[in-house]
């Protein structure tokens, strides 16, 4: 399974969380994943919907499209650990294993840190829903 | 050049805070800080963290805030803690050295997670949300509201040039929405320059001379950080730097290019006021050398991890004069229009000059320097400390809603006497 595919499944779980639709719909934005050890992919969040695709979004997150896109720089290895719940994304940031650009502003009115918090919130939803689903499965087999 | 007051770890003298809070004006400002600034809500649970061994002065701040929050309908829990973030020996605020991965007690971590809003009234910790891993996780990953240093935004508002003991009412009561408009006009100019991949040229009379380029998304910051009241953004995603009443700052975060020299007489990592001016050299945005008596010590402290510019921020409040009886306040917090500081280093991974990397696992400030000049591309923005946007017809029109534009947009006068 490619990293993009894994991440897409993870985001499907996030959307199934009771808070998923509300949190996902907070902003419209594209996250371009720039991986050091795997092919790039991107996640487009728009109107509460999530689209994960392999490759480059075509958006210039540095200049032309800075108000629409954030680049997430990491590795597939780290991302898998984050999705597995064994590595806190904020720890990865402090370990210089995960970076965001641009940092200060997401657009003309939204603080850049809000994008980091939103990204982390999406990860938390997926992790919580995954654990809840796994526990429900276990409970049903008892 | 004399320094008005300095404490080992806090930027603002707690005795002055106590005296301020004993006035009706001080209590009214405290209320505004939390109604309009932090925008606490009735029914929330507030956690107040205080030093284990409080001085009488800090106790006054704790009592005033507790009383106010209860009056606003919050429940309040006070926790006394041992040293929250250990200060680096010989440093003064704001400085985070060797504490990036310092862990706070689990009990405290979970208490902050359980609270709706936390206030750091301890002598250390202000700014920890950016520079300490536990506080970053609490504020950014878990989206907890942790406010530090709310009671007063800067030491320079507690006096005026003529009377060091009388608060600067004009600066503190400056219309917030007019300050936001001034900041937004500045940010608009900066953004246009950044989008055009233009250059910023920054100088001051002490010899500072920097050439800077930034990404548009690293222009700082919407509204200069001045509060929007009410704030339409979801509370969990308001970000940071958005709740100030009178400390408006704009500038640049993690520049893509920063070349030249910064001349300062105050470095928090080195204990504040210096014995002689320090010339700090930047290449590729990293500190590569420092001339002056304290230069070797600075470079030795940075030798384990190269340190680059985290932010360059400029003050915008036109009413606050950063002087006390004619003497420039080296330990000001950058409220006054025409002052600027560099924050050096920050943990994390940043995109800069076509690559990803660190910018130094620490944070300290290279002093607030006076009378800056700045051009954004070909557009002069500051000229010898004067904020030129105050003459912008759009700003004048905006000012009419708040009073006499001539009065509101008249900036304090910089001293003619040599500053060094």
């Amino acid at each position: 399974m490619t990293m993009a595919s894994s991440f897409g499944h993870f985001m499907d779980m996030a959307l199934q969380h009771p808070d998923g639709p509300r949190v996902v719909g907070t902003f419209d934005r594209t996250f371009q994943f720039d991986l050091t050890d795997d092919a790039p992919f991107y996640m487009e969040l728009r109107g509460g919907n999530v689209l994960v695709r392999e490759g480059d979004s075509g958006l210039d997150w540095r200049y032309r499209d800075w108000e629409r896109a954030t680049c997430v720089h990491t590795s597939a290895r780290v991302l898998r650990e984050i999705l597995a719940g064994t590595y806190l994304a904020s720890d990865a940031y402090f370990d210089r294993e995960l970076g965001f650009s641009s940092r200060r502003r997401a657009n003309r009115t939204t603080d850049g840190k809000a994008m980091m918090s939103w990204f982390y919130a999406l990860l938390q939803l997926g992790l919580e829903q995954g654990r809840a689903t796994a526990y429900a499965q276990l409970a049903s087999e008892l | 050049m004399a320094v008005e007051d300095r404490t080992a770890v806090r930027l603002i003298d707690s005795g002055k805070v106590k005296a301020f809070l004993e006035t009706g004006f001080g209590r009214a400002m405290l209320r505004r800080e939390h109604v309009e600034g932090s925008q606490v809500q009735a029914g929330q649970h507030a956690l107040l963290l205080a030093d284990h061994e409080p001085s009488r002065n800090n106790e006054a701040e704790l009592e005033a805030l507790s009383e106010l929050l209860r009056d606003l309908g919050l429940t309040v829990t006070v926790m006394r803690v041992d040293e929250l973030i250990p200060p680096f020996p010989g440093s003064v605020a704001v400085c985070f050295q060797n504490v990036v991965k310092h862990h706070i007690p689990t009990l405290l971590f979970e208490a902050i997670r359980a609270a709706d809003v936390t206030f750091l009234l301890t002598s250390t910790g202000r700014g920890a949300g950016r520079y300490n891993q536990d506080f970053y996780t609490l504020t950014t990953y878990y989206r907890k509201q942790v406010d530090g240093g709310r009671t007063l935004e800067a030491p320079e508002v507690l006096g005026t040039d003529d009377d060091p003991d009388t608060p600067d009412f004009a600066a503190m009561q400056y219309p917030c929405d007019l300050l936001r408009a001034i900041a937004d006009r500045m940010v608009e100019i900066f953004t246009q320059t950044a989008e055009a991949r233009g250059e910023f040229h920054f100088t001051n009379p002490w010899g500072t001379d920097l050439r800077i380029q930034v990404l548009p998304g690293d222009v700082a910051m919407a509204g200069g950080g001045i509060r929007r009241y009410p704030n339409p953004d979801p509370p969990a995603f308001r970000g940071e730097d958005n709740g100030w009443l009178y400390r408006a700052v704009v500038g640049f975060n993690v520049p893509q290019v920063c070349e030249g020299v910064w001349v300062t007489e105050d470095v928090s990592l080195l204990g504040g006021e210096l014995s002689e001016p320090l010339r700090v050299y930047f290449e590729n945005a990293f500190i590569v050398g420092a001339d002056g008596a304290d230069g070797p010590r600075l470079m030795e402290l940075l030798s384990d991890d190269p340190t680059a510019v985290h932010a360059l921020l400029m003050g915008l409040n036109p009413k606050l004069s950063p002087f006390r009886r004619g003497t420039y306040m080296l330990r000001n917090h950058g409220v006054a229009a025409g002052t600027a500081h560099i924050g050096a280093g920050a943990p994390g991974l940043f995109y800069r000059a076509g690559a990803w990397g660190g910018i130094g696992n620490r944070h300290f400030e290279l002093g607030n320097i006076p009378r800056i000049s700045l051009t954004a591309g070909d557009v002069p923005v500051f000229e010898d400390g004067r904020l030129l946007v105050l003459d912008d017809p759009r700003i004048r029109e905006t000012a009419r809603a708040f009073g006499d534009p001539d009065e509101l947009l008249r900036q304090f006068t910089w001293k003619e006497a040599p500053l060094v």
Side-chain angles (χ1 to χ4, degrees), chain B residues 88-91 95 97-98 267-271 294-307 361-362 364:
Chain B
F88 184 66
S91 70
C95 180
Q97 170 83 347
N98 298 343
V267 178
S268 61
L269 179 61
L270 301 177
D294 295 286
R297 190 165 145 243
L298 176 66
M299 297 313 294
E300 184 186 342
L301 286 169
L302 306 186
S303 61
D304 63 328
D305 194 19
T307 298
N361 243 8
R362 58 173 60 83
F364 63 96

Side-chain angles (χ1 to χ4, degrees), chain B residues 52-131:
Chain B
H52 179 62
E53 294 179 9
S55 70
R56 269 184 56 240
N57 294 330
N58 286 342
E59 206 67 5
E61 187 179 1
L62 180 64
E63 285 172 13
L65 182 56
S66 300
E67 184 183 317
L68 171 69
L69 293 174
R70 288 192 179 100
D71 188 46
L72 292 173
L74 287 83
T75 57
V76 175
T77 299
V78 176
M79 286 181 76
R80 299 207 179 270
V81 298
D82 294 332
E83 205 166 59
L84 202 59
I85 302 287
F88 184 66
S91 70
V92 293
V94 176
C95 180
F96 293 84
Q97 170 83 347
N98 298 343
V99 290
V100 165
K101 290 189 174 266
H102 170 80
H103 289 295
I104 61 175
T106 305
L107 183 148
L108 185 54
F109 189 95
E110 294 303 328
I112 295 173
R113 276 195 74 182
D116 296 308
V117 55
T118 298
F119 294 94
L120 298 183
L121 303 179
T122 57
S123 52
T124 63
R126 177 180 171 152
R130 284 194 183 98
Y131 310 117

